[in-house]
Structures are given as C-alpha cells and as structure tokens.
C-alpha cells in the first residue's frame, strides 16, 4: 500500500461550546479527531487542524471521559496536542489540501453548519478534485456546501451521518437546531445507516461520510482509499 507522504489533510473541528439552551458544555468528539489523525499520520500524510476561531479547540467533556487507544495515543503525542492547542483559523486557510475531514461533536450543529468560509472552502476544494469527508455530526458542515453544478454537494450521493434515531437515544433531538438526517434527506442525499452505535461509513466518489464515533476509523480509511485512487 503506497505511503501518502506528499498528501496534506485538514481536520476541521468546531469552536462551539454551548449545548443549545442547556447548561451543558459541548465541542468536538475526541475519538472522531484522534482516530482519523492516527490513520492519516500512519499513512504518511501531513495533518493540520483548523476551527472557526482558531487556537485551542474545545473537546466535548463527555468524549474526554470515553478513552480509547486512539484518544490516549493522541493525548500522549506532543505534536498532535500542539496542533490542537493552536488550530488554524478556518477563514485564513488556503485551499491547498488533498482532503478535508470534518470532525463531529454536537458543537458542529451550531457553528460549522452555518460557517460560510468553510462552505466556500469545501465547495472550491471539491470542484478542483479534493476529497471531502465528515463523520457523525460533521456532515452538518456539508449542508451549505455546493457541488460544481451549484446543487447541494450531497444531492444524489450516498451519505451517512448521526441518525435521528441516535439523536433521540441521547435525548438531544429537542436541543439541536435541526435534525441532521432529515436535513440531509431534504437536500437530496441518499441517506444510509447501519445499526445504532455501530461502525458505518460510505464513500461516493470523493465524498466520504461516517455515522457516529464508532465510524471514525472506517471513514478515515475510506478517505485514504479515495486519495490512493486519485
């Protein structure tokens, strides 16, 4: 399997910390950043991290309690931690990456879902042949992204994301600003899902999406597969 040493991948995380009108804190889901980071760096790719506000990006406290091999490795990696503490400002990111991966976490629903600079970045990147990907709530960032034909990037594409059923199960279906699965379907996505909480990722050309935290590795590997085909 060829190394991707010349490849650059941008991980995109939320800067949002307030879980709707609740008193709870949110952010990005640590596993959904740590696992792809591990997969991408293992493949030889150069990985950067960006967020709307730049600087230290907020992990959802609940995700920090759910330690995995990937999260422990990430938190023990000084280079990785430095990138997370000094994320690039999305608005200033130049469109020079081979792949873009939007990390999930409920925070995405409030900032990345409506972040025009990101939508513009991904629209341009996809048009020039880059891989665009997202996992869990990350696909909320795709709802403002267009394909080269000016239609929603997800229209007619196989897409996975955190399901309405999973949102109800975590009792946040009345907290999020919109139901993600429903919004993607409204945009013409051919929405697909696996069992609740199981690993499920789909690749449709250069668009890769995963369903939930357990899908992080599968989604990252689909991104690598898409890059190797280019």
């Amino acid at each position: 399997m060829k190394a991707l040493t010349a490849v650059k991948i941008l991980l995109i995380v939320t800067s949002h910390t307030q879980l709707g009108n609740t008193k709870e804190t949110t952010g990005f889901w640590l596993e959904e950043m740590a696992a792809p980071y591990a997969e991408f760096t293992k493949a030889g790719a150069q990985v950067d991290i960006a967020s709307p506000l730049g600087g230290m990006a907020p992990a959802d406290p609940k995700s920090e309690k759910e330690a995995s091999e990937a999260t422990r490795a990430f938190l023990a990696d000084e280079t990785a931690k430095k990138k997370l503490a000094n994320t690039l400002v999305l608005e200033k990111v130049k469109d020079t990456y081979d792949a873009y991966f939007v990390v999930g976490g409920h925070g995405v629903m409030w900032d990345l879902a409506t972040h025009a600079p990101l939508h513009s970045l991904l629209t341009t990147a996809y048009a020039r042949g880059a891989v665009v990907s997202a996992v869990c709530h990350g696909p909320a960032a795709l709802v403002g992204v267009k394909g080269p034909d000016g239609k929603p990037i997800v229209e007619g594409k196989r897409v996975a994301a955190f399901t309405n059923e999973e949102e109800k199960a975590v009792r946040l279906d009345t907290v999020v600003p919109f139901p993600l699965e429903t919004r993607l379907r409204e945009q013409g996505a051919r929405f697909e899902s696996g069992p609740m909480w199981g690993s499920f990722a789909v690749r449709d050309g250069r668009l890769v999406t995963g369903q939930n935290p357990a899908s992080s590795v599968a989604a990252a590997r689909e991104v690598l597969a898409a890059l190797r085909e280019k």
Side-chain angles (χ1 to χ4, degrees):
M1 199 172 277
K2 71 174 180 180
L4 299 172
T5 45
V7 164
K8 291 172 67 184
I9 301 175
L10 185 69
L11 288 175
I12 298 156
V13 294
T14 180
S15 295
H16 189 84
T17 57
Q18 180 65 35
L19 189 60
N21 296 322
T22 71
K23 296 285 193 294
E24 289 185 55
T25 304
T26 189
F28 68 87
W29 200 261
L30 188 55
E31 172 74 15
E32 294 169 26
M33 185 183 64
Y37 184 89
E39 292 296 319
F40 296 152
T41 52
K42 201 162 58 183
Q46 178 194 320
V47 183
D48 291 330
I49 306 172
S51 66
L53 299 180
M56 185 67 195
D60 187 307
K62 291 194 198 79
S63 74
E64 293 178 302
K65 289 178 189 147
E66 291 188 15
S68 70
E69 193 181 331
T71 59
R72 283 191 289 269
F74 186 91
L75 295 173
D77 183 329
E78 290 306 320
T79 303
K81 282 199 299 186
K82 193 171 178 184
K83 286 180 180 181
L84 180 59
N86 301 279
T87 64
L88 308 170
V89 179
L90 263 176
E91 208 163 348
K92 295 178 180 170
V93 167
K94 297 286 184 284
D95 179 32
T96 55
Y97 293 86
D98 300 282
Y100 298 78
F101 188 100
V102 185
V103 173
H106 276 92
V108 173
M109 301 289 284
W110 282 274
D111 62 358
L112 295 178
T114 56
H115 194 65
L118 173 60
H119 298 164
S120 170
L121 179 71
L122 295 183
T123 296
T124 304
Y126 190 73
R128 70 162 168 81
V131 176
V132 170
S133 53
V135 68
C136 198
H137 286 89
L142 303 181
V143 299
V145 180
K146 305 281 190 242
D149 56 5
K151 294 175 180 171
I153 193 175
V154 298
E155 187 174 312
K157 297 277 197 317
R158 296 171 63 219
V159 172
F162 204 63
T163 65
N164 290 349
E165 186 184 24
E166 286 169 320
E167 202 70 85
K168 284 195 181 87
V170 295
R171 297 181 181 167
L172 291 174
D173 54 307
T174 58
V175 175
V176 291
F178 59 89
L180 181 52
E181 175 186 334
T182 303
R183 179 66 60 86
L184 291 167
R185 287 182 185 279
E186 286 169 354
Q187 290 204 323
R190 289 160 55 200
F191 194 89
E192 297 181 15
S193 58
M196 281 216 307
W197 319 124
S199 173
F200 185 82
V202 295
R203 172 160 63 108
D204 194 327
R206 289 178 291 102
L207 184 67
V208 176
T209 45
Q211 182 173 328
N212 49 34
S215 311
S216 303
V217 170
R221 287 177 180 168
E222 290 289 356
V223 169
L224 294 172
L227 286 168
R228 287 190 171 103
E229 280 178 15
K230 282 177 74 183

